Amino acid sequence: LYPGREAVNLSAATATPELENLRATLATKRLVVFLLDATWAGARKMLRLSPRLQALPRIMFTPSAPSRYVIKQQPQEGCLSTLEAVHELLTVLQRQALDDYPLPDQLLGVFARMQQFQLECAADPNRAGYRRRPYSPPAERTGPRGRSARRQNYLRLPAAE
C-alpha cells in the first residue's frame, strides 16, 4: 500500500482496466497487503532502498476524510497515519466487494481513545518527563519547514486531470 503513478487506485468510482485486472487476479489468489509503518520520509526511504518492495504491485486509495491524527502533523493533505490508512483500505476494499469490514467504527474508536489518553497525559503537570507542554490544536501549528516545505508533491500522485 503506497501511492504513486503506477498504483491501482481502489477508490476509482468507475471500473478501470487496472482495477478489473486486480479483481480477476483476486479470483484465484489471496490479497496480501504490505504496509510500511513509518513516518512518510521513512516509508519513502524504505521503498527507495528496497528493490524487492519496488517490484511489488502497488495499490492506493483516495482518502475519504483528512487525517484525524491530532498529535502529529501530516506532511501534506492526503497523508494519513498507518492506522487511518488501514481503516481507509478496509473501507475501500469492502466498497469494491473485495473484502469484508464488519466493524469499521471499532478501529477509529481505538484510535480516538489512544489519542485522548496521550492528550490527557501531555496536559497532566504531574507526569514528569512525558511532555514539556501540551499539544497544540492542529490549526495552530506551523507548516512544514526546510526540505519538507519545498517538496511539491510528497506522495508523487498523478497530476489532477
Side-chain angles (χ1 to χ4, degrees), residues 36-67:
L36 303 180
D37 186 19
T39 63
W40 276 98
R44 174 180 269 172
K45 185 175 181 179
M46 275 192 261
L47 186 61
R48 184 173 38 87
L49 295 177
S50 174
R52 292 182 188 248
L53 281 176
Q54 292 171 21
L56 294 172
R58 286 196 212 169
I59 58 173
M60 63 180 276
F61 55 81
T62 303
S64 63
S67 178

Side-chain angles (χ1 to χ4, degrees), residues 4 13 17 26 30 35 38-39 45-46 51-52 60 70 77-80 83 87 92 94 101 105 118 132 134 144:
L26 293 179
R30 173 184 233 153
L35 295 157
T39 63
K45 185 175 181 179
M46 275 192 261
R52 292 182 188 248
M60 63 180 276
V70 296
E77 188 177 328
C79 294
L80 302 176
L83 194 140
H87 168 74
V92 76
Q94 179 167 323
Y101 187 28
D105 296 335
Q118 288 180 317
R132 294 176 201 245

Side-chain angles (χ1 to χ4, degrees), residues 39-42 44 73-77 79 142-155:
T39 63
W40 276 98
R44 174 180 269 172
Q73 184 173 349
Q74 300 300 340
Q76 87 178 43
E77 188 177 328
C79 294
T142 59
R145 295 179 297 274
R147 287 176 40 196
S148 293
R150 291 189 300 271
R151 186 165 286 137
Q152 296 296 315
N153 193 354
Y154 198 87
L155 300 177

Side-chain angles (χ1 to χ4, degrees), residues 60-140:
M60 63 180 276
F61 55 81
T62 303
S64 63
S67 178
R68 299 159 187 88
Y69 209 179
V70 296
I71 294 172
K72 293 195 178 184
Q73 184 173 349
Q74 300 300 340
Q76 87 178 43
E77 188 177 328
C79 294
L80 302 176
S81 69
T82 304
L83 194 140
E84 292 172 300
V86 169
H87 168 74
E88 291 282 340
L89 174 64
L90 292 172
T91 300
V92 76
L93 286 173
Q94 179 167 323
R95 192 172 35 241
Q96 293 289 351
L98 296 171
D99 202 353
D100 186 35
Y101 187 28
L103 301 169
D105 296 335
Q106 187 175 36
L107 196 55
L108 290 181
V110 170
F111 186 55
R113 288 191 304 276
M114 176 201 73
Q115 290 187 91
Q116 186 59 40
F117 178 75
Q118 288 180 317
L119 291 170
E120 289 169 5
C121 289
D124 184 354
N126 296 321
R127 281 191 182 265
Y130 184 80
R131 201 168 158 80
R132 294 176 201 245
R133 55 191 152 98
Y135 292 102
S136 61
E140 294 176 10

